[in-house]
Amino acid sequence: MQEVTLRVNGEDYTRKVEGRTLLAQFLRDQLRLTGTHIGCDTTQCGACTVLMDGRAVKSCTILAAAADGAEVQTIEGVAEGERLNFVQQAFHEHHALQCGFCTPGMVMAATDIIRRHEGVLDEMTVRRELEGNLCRCTGYHNIIKAVLAAAEVYRRSKAPAQATAN
Amino acid sequence: MYQTTYHKGQSLDQVRKLHAELPEPSYISGGFTLIPAMKNRLAAPENLIDLRALPELRGITRDGDRLRIGAASCHAEVAGSPEVAQSIPALALLADSIGDMQVRHMGTIGGSVANNDPAADYPAAVLALGATIITDQREIAAHDFFTGMYATDLAEGEIILRIDFPVPRSAGYAKLRNPASKYAIAASFVARGSDGSVRVAVTGAGEDGVFRWFDAEQALADRFETASVEALQPDPGMMLSDLHGSAEYRAALVKVMTARAVDAQGSVDIC
């Protein structure tokens, strides 16, 4: 066992982990943050996607010990209190989920994509960058729509006041 | 996954000492090959020694006619590096075509090259560009480095520090991906050196892993056009045959992908 400290959704957690403990297991079993799903456990489905130091990663393929000192954001950390954040809101409005199992991973992956492209996205880019997230209900059409809508919200919120005035 | 003990590497001396002294050690970098293998119990190192934080393995720099990429650079860093995009655009775009976004955030060039998966992308680029693999012990020419499927010239405990690419006159890469795994079913990297020489390296298709297609190199050195490749017939006898495609299919793809890589100089053609 070794001790690790991770900052998860803005709070520091120090816990003992085994060398083989995966980040997804650490989040789910030790911190009880079960919004991070484990779908395939083979690095394919992306349901376990979280942001680690700001970048979307598959937490089922990262050792908790290797994440020592990292800052992690999970689906539990995105809403503003009771209010859905802009990505969640767009998923809600565009009916971008059916069974909902893949949704936490989709939202976290979408957050990275939108931020990295500063909200300037087209359909092909979203489809390409979401390749690592599988939806077995095959609800991709509305997921893409939701990501594009959320990107638009993000872009507007970041636009300088002058540009908005024009 | 069996029990393992994780060690964060702090310095080259420390990781070499750990590797020499601990039982059943393995270096780890991004871990996106090793951890899935450990989950399946195909690998069971008792000690994992993480190389990612070592400063000797970090950084991407252009130095005259060489592009130097630290082994711990992840695929997204290579894809997003202005130095790579300006020096060898096909290499940046190749990195951007590996796996998926989350994989590109973790997987590293050093890990990919050391693992030498028969369907990995980087070995084709390293071989076709005539790169040099710089380890903590020596410099190895790409042509001598890849020695077969999952096999390299690396000695036990030897560490790749960086890969030095000579900047070519032009280079292009074409790949047919397996739509599920994103690994290459067949892919070809075609590079024209500053001296006019041509190198063609094929990944995904060969039964011994990445290989140079010498007939195509010769034909393209004479005339650098797709017709030179289309006149050739790759040997199905040296191709991989599995559930994704027969040896004959892969031989046909090798020709098509090489012709497309000739057309895609300065870029990539991913399908």
Side-chain angles (χ1 to χ4, degrees), chain A residues 75-153:
Chain A
I75 191 70
E76 287 90 345
V78 302
E80 294 127 21
E82 289 296 303
R83 238 185 53 227
L84 299 179
N85 91 333
F86 69 105
V87 183
Q88 292 171 310
Q89 187 64 36
F91 271 62
H92 174 70
E93 283 169 11
H94 292 269
H95 192 58
L97 56 147
Q98 292 176 49
C99 86
F101 191 87
C102 71
T103 311
M106 287 285 181
V107 169
M108 300 319 290
T111 302
D112 180 335
I113 296 167
I114 292 166
R115 280 191 198 150
R116 197 155 26 79
H117 291 274
E118 297 173 334
V120 183
L121 283 171
D122 56 36
E123 183 181 331
M124 283 316 294
T125 308
V126 175
R127 285 185 181 276
R128 199 177 153 276
E129 299 219 353
L130 271 182
E131 277 180 345
N133 292 75
L134 303 183
C135 167
R136 289 301 75 179
C137 307
T138 68
Y140 296 106
H141 198 66
N142 284 355
I143 293 170
I144 309 298
K145 273 197 215 164
V147 177
L148 289 170
E152 181 65 19
V153 171

Side-chain angles (χ1 to χ4, degrees), chain A residues 2 18-20 22 41 43 49 55-56 58 60-61 63 65-66 68 112-113 116 128-129 131-133, chain B residues 1-4 6 8 31-32 35-36 39 48 50 52 74 96 99-102 105-106 177 182:
Chain A
Q2 49 206 115
E18 290 185 337
R20 64 180 170 180
L22 300 166
D41 206 23
T43 330
T49 300
R55 296 195 298 191
K58 292 182 174 176
C60 80
T61 311
L63 297 172
D68 186 23
D112 180 335
I113 296 167
R116 197 155 26 79
R128 199 177 153 276
E129 299 219 353
E131 277 180 345
N133 292 75
Chain B
M1 195 190 302
Y2 289 112
Q3 279 294 5
T4 189
Y6 173 87
K8 184 158 278 188
F32 269 54
I35 293 175
K39 287 185 186 182
L48 288 173
D50 195 334
R52 270 170 293 188
C74 72
D96 198 41
D100 55 48
M101 171 183 71
Q102 292 95 321
H105 283 159
M106 293 299 295
R177 305 190 306 170
K182 312 299 182 202

